[in-house]
Structures are given as C-alpha cells and as structure tokens.
Amino acid sequence: MASVVGLLEERELAARVRAERLREEADRVLAELAGAESEWQEWVIARQRVGAVLSVSHAEESAAEAPVPGMAAEPDGVQDSGPGPVPACAAVPSVPAVPPQWPARTVAVWAEGLDARVLRENYRVVVEVLALARRAGGQATRSAAEIAAALGMELTKSSIEGRVRHSAKRLVERGWLAEPSPGRFRLADGPAAAS
C-alpha cells in the first residue's frame, strides 16, 4: 500500500509538471502575440506610407492637370496669356492632406491647434471621456473597460477590445493619447494642455 506522503508527492509532481507545461505554452503564445503585433504595426506603417505617397502623387497629378489661372486654351492649342503675367505662386494649388474623394478612414496626427472635432465619432468620444476624466481628477488614466462603461456601452469583449481598445491604441499612435502603463490610457501631453 502506497504511503500518504508518496501519494502527495506524486500529485505535487504532476501539478508542477502541468504548471511548467502551461507556463511554457503561455510564453510561446506571448512570443507569438508579440510577433503578430510587430507584423501588424509594420503593415500599419506600410499602409500609412503608401497612403502618404499616393496622396502626394494624386495632388501632383491634380496640379499638373489644373489650368493656370489667367490662361485660356485657344481652339488651335495656342494659349492666350490673358490680361497680364500670372504670379508664380498662383499656379501652385493647395494640397489637401487627404484627397477629398477618399473616405477619412485614418486618424489625424495630433498637432497644435487641432481639437477632437477633427476625429470621427468613435475616436472623438474616447478622447472626450479622457478629457472629462482629466478635468475631474488631474492626469486620470482609464482602462478600455472603464472608457466603454463611461460611454454606456455593453461591456462585452467585442465592445471593449474591438472598439474601445482598438480606438485608444490608434489614438496613441497618432499622438492624441498616451499609454503610461499597459492597458491604461490618458490624454497625451499636447492634447491635455490644449483641453
């Protein structure tokens, strides 16, 4: 008959082996998650850079196709110079940051003078919740769940992770928010000073 101490040692060993196996699995999953997040960020940067290049390219094409003010094409292809010389600056159109026909799917990078009204509603409300929290109690930080609760959202994984945390992370990337500790968000220094 096995001793009680021997049985306890067997159970202890089995529990330790299981804990070590789970720890190894957790480490593997965390490493895989870090790799996936790194790849995701690389794709975000690539998309932003391609968008910027396309935006500039589109603006340059528009500038090349735009007629010079004061110049009118004649039927035979000869241009009439109009009433007088055209200043050099008149031929340079203002270049929008995003062409107007593109939907505003990107979050504006925060710059002095911008306020949350330039953001789409799903981003703006996150900034407004944190601005209210800051006014109520200094440099208050909030978790995605706390922000979702303040917005009156149903506290489900999809609303917290898929909507609030995603929006907050994007706002951190674009300079609107800061993440002083993992999962805790506050207004970044620039927007905080402006509010």
Side-chain angles (χ1 to χ4, degrees):
M1 181 170 177
S3 72
V4 173
V5 174
L7 289 173
L8 290 174
E9 286 174 348
E10 286 178 18
R11 299 248 172 123
E12 177 187 348
L13 176 64
R16 187 178 71 209
V17 168
R18 182 171 181 261
E20 288 173 357
R21 195 173 330 124
L22 289 172
R23 186 175 294 116
E24 288 172 2
E25 178 70 13
D27 290 343
R28 185 193 62 76
V29 169
L30 288 173
E32 192 174 328
L33 174 62
E37 286 179 339
S38 176
E39 181 183 8
W40 171 41
Q41 289 302 318
E42 290 171 7
W43 285 113
V44 167
I45 291 167
R47 182 180 46 77
Q48 290 171 344
R49 289 189 176 156
V50 168
V53 168
L54 291 176
S55 175
V56 169
S57 174
H58 177 76
E60 288 171 353
E61 287 175 11
S62 296
E65 295 172 2
V68 176
M71 305 280 282
E74 293 292 328
D76 61 1
V78 177
Q79 296 215 351
D80 178 20
S81 62
V86 177
C89 63
V92 181
S94 62
V95 179
V98 177
Q101 69 272 18
W102 290 7
R105 295 188 324 178
T106 59
V107 177
V109 175
W110 184 84
E112 194 167 335
L114 284 183
D115 65 20
R117 290 179 294 199
V118 302
L119 300 171
R120 286 191 326 199
E121 183 179 5
N122 57 318
Y123 295 105
R124 185 177 62 247
V125 294
V126 171
V127 171
E128 289 171 352
V129 164
L130 292 170
L132 286 172
R134 181 180 184 278
R135 284 193 289 267
Q139 282 290 9
T141 63
R142 297 287 187 263
S143 68
E146 291 168 331
I147 295 169
L151 293 171
M153 298 173 77
E154 185 178 345
L155 298 180
T156 63
K157 184 175 181 178
S158 66
S159 65
I160 294 169
E161 297 293 326
R163 294 183 187 158
V164 176
R165 187 179 313 278
H166 173 76
S167 297
K169 290 280 191 181
R170 186 79 169 138
L171 288 163
V172 168
E173 291 172 10
R174 308 305 276 175
W176 291 90
L177 301 182
E179 190 175 9
S181 61
R184 302 290 298 178
F185 302 97
R186 67 168 174 81
L187 286 181
D189 293 336
S195 68

